[in-house]
Amino acid sequence: MQASTPAPQVPLALPDPQLPRLYTFRRCPYAMRARMALLQGGRVFEAVEVSLRDKPAHLLTLSPKATVPVLQLPDGGVIDESWDIMRWALAEPDAHGWWARAQSPENLDLVRRNDGTFKHHLDRWKYPQRYASEAIAPDAHRDSAVDVLLRPLEARLRRALFLGGAKPCATDLGVLPFVRQFAAVEPGWFETLDLPSLRSWLSGWLANPLFAACMHKLPAEGANRFPSL
């Protein structure tokens, strides 16, 4: 971890039409990983904090999905999938290998598990009231989430410090916000699991300046220059 990274710079309040504009929501795990990738890739961008109850009309025009994150490029292009935003942010130039190390079959499988079955079970454990009509108990979803992703992550992290090996990669950033969300549902119970390497990995990332920078709190309105590392 790069503990010596300087503190984020103070953002500028004025929007800049020459910069990419990210529509984001601070607590959304998909938006978190997009912001981390943009920061790690050294991309200068402005951001709009979206109220999920009152989404801006421009966001709805850019992406009919109306979900964050959405990245509007200066040339008019739109990227409305978080993993694709990460690719744009990190892939070129990939001088430090963050994107390349994420392209192994094993790492791509972890992202598929995270975004698919794990997220399915996580939602039903974290928000049981939304799925009250379903027959499966929340604790069963919790246990399935552990089996489908957290145990494979533990096995990987016992062999290396990061999912990229000796160095981190986009896969680390891609799954981190979701593991963080899972661990926060019942922290005491999470601590009892036989997942020491995963907990160490999670703690390290939560203390990393990159994660702190991505959680910068934006003003409630308008487009603002996002602080850089």
Side-chain angles (χ1 to χ4, degrees), residues 10-16 19 44-47 216 218 223-227:
V10 177
L12 301 177
L14 297 177
D16 186 337
L19 293 180
V44 180
F45 66 102
E46 63 182 26
H216 170 76
L218 290 163
N224 294 265
R225 183 81 65 88
F226 204 84

Side-chain angles (χ1 to χ4, degrees), residues 138-158:
D139 284 358
H141 285 294
R142 176 197 68 186
D143 295 343
S144 293
V146 172
D147 290 340
V148 76
L149 183 67
L150 301 192
R151 296 201 190 284
L153 287 174
E154 174 68 17
R156 284 286 305 281
L157 293 167
R158 286 183 179 181

